[in-house]
Amino acid sequence: MSLFKFTALAAAALITAAPAVAQDRTDWPQSITIGTASQGGTYFVYGNGLAGYIGEALGINASGEVTGGPVQNATLVQLGDHAIGLVTMGPAYEAWTGRSELAPGLEHHDLRALFPMYQTPFQVITMANSGITSVTELAGRRVSVGPAGGTPGTYWPRFLETLGVDANVSNAGAADAAGQLKDGLIDAFAFAAGVPISAFSQLAAEADVRMFGFTESELATLLAAHPEVAPLNIPAGTYPGHDYDQQSVSMWNYAIANASMPESLAYEIVKLVMENPDRMMEIHRAAAETIMDNVLNNTFMPFHPGAVRYYQEHGIEIPENLRG
């Protein structure tokens, strides 16, 4: 075939394809806003980077916006004020079931999952000489659960209640709680953050400590009562000198959209994110967990139809109850 003929055929193919592409974008909004959180946090960096990438790759004006975080993002997306929101699945589940502290009584059933971001694991650290080796053994003990209003400060008391553990719970920042544990002012520090948790690593370097998640029976009870969390294994060696696996749970962070987002736009956003891991890692290293293997760590929120189409094209069968 001559070069001229090949070029003509290719041009004809592009002309034929162009109307379909144009038609596919006719219902796209001119601009979208992504709800993040306060400046300096992972959400702020991740969300603004994602907005820039969407604008660059899809030719749509996208911007990140500072918000109060997951609780507010869920409601902003539900009401259609933001096209995309970044949420932790705990607050998202409360919003879904009408128990959001921001909009109590409003079931946020217009929320749709797009893609997984990264996970926030739960973990406990004690001094080795305390003899405490499980969450159940925290009964009657002094336990710091991180700052009030944060993910660990909110969910550790709930987990303890679910497990029937009556502990003396207090709140403090990570550095303060670590110091209190080392000084004997508390018996355990229960927290949630990306592992290795820096405060835990520092304690492990300075003292003889024990870290743990949940026993088999504790884990089964938690997973049955809290669909907003997923099982997680913290592997041996995550912390120097701790050569044992720790079974725990994590709360996943997801990007979500309103059900009214055009299917083709949701599809293209999911495709952009999932097929370009290196670029996503440039935005934030937490995006190392923004991969296909983690899609189904969402157990309650339906995926947007555009996301469902993309995942099923790539061999991930979305359960019927998670199809939006």
Side-chain angles (χ1 to χ4, degrees):
M1 180 184 297
S2 69
L3 177 61
F4 174 80
K5 187 173 183 181
F6 175 81
T7 303
L9 288 172
L14 287 173
I15 292 171
T16 302
V21 173
Q23 178 65 29
D24 200 37
R25 296 173 60 110
T26 53
D27 58 351
W28 285 23
Q30 293 185 345
S31 62
I32 63 172
T33 303
I34 300 175
T36 65
S38 60
Q39 294 185 22
T42 301
Y43 272 20
F44 181 80
V45 177
Y46 194 114
N48 279 279
L50 175 63
Y53 192 23
I54 289 173
E56 169 193 324
L58 301 183
I60 187 170
N61 184 20
S63 60
E65 184 168 313
V66 171
T67 70
V71 173
Q72 186 179 9
N73 291 343
T75 299
L76 288 170
V77 171
Q78 168 68 26
L79 298 178
D81 293 334
H82 284 176
I84 297 174
L86 309 184
V87 299
T88 310
M89 295 308 265
Y93 182 70
E94 296 196 339
W96 180 262
T97 56
R99 295 183 292 120
S100 167
E101 61 186 58
L102 183 62
L106 174 63
E107 295 183 342
H108 290 44
H109 284 180
D110 290 329
L111 302 183
R112 295 295 182 268
L114 291 176
F115 57 84
M117 295 166 55
Y118 57 90
Q119 60 188 323
T120 300
F122 290 78
Q123 195 175 20
V124 183
I125 187 168
T126 63
M127 304 304 290
N129 61 11
S130 71
I132 302 171
T133 60
S134 72
V135 173
T136 301
E137 293 171 0
L138 295 176
R141 302 292 191 130
R142 300 164 299 172
V143 183
S144 178
V145 294
T151 296
T154 299
Y155 285 92
W156 266 113
R158 297 181 187 181
F159 293 166
L160 293 172
E161 182 179 2
T162 295
L163 296 172
V165 176
D166 185 12
N168 182 8
V169 172
S170 61
N171 297 105
D176 287 342
Q180 290 171 14
L181 180 64
K182 190 175 177 182
D183 293 341
L185 300 177
I186 57 175
D187 301 303
F189 175 23
F191 201 52
V195 295
I197 299 171
S198 58
F200 285 24
S201 295
Q202 184 172 347
L203 276 169
E206 298 172 349
D208 187 11
V209 297
R210 174 79 182 179
M211 301 179 208
F212 54 87
F214 300 95
T215 65
E216 289 281 359
S217 60
E218 291 169 349
L219 189 63
T221 301
L222 277 184
L223 293 175
H226 297 277
E228 66 269 38
V229 298
L232 169 77
N233 179 61
I234 301 173
T238 298
Y239 296 90
H242 291 76
D243 57 352
Y244 50 89
D245 290 351
Q246 300 173 56
Q247 294 183 107
S248 191
V249 296
S250 66
M251 194 169 286
W252 276 87
N253 299 274
Y254 272 72
I256 63 171
N258 188 281
S260 64
M261 175 180 281
E263 180 179 334
S264 60
L265 176 57
Y267 178 93
E268 293 297 335
I269 289 173
V270 172
K271 178 180 179 180
L272 182 70
V273 169
M274 303 309 289
E275 295 186 0
N276 296 280
D278 290 344
R279 177 58 187 275
M280 292 301 297
M281 283 284 288
E282 289 177 6
I283 292 172
H284 197 288
R285 62 181 183 178
E289 293 187 299
T290 305
I291 58 176
M292 300 291 275
D293 287 348
N294 292 328
V295 168
L296 294 179
N297 284 311
N298 160 38
T299 61
F300 70 89
M301 185 186 296
F303 284 93
H304 192 286
V308 172
R309 177 160 65 91
Y310 177 81
Y311 293 133
Q312 297 202 149
E313 285 177 358
H314 291 79
I316 298 179
E317 185 62 30
I318 304 298
E320 188 66 34
N321 68 308
L322 293 181
R323 298 181 191 179

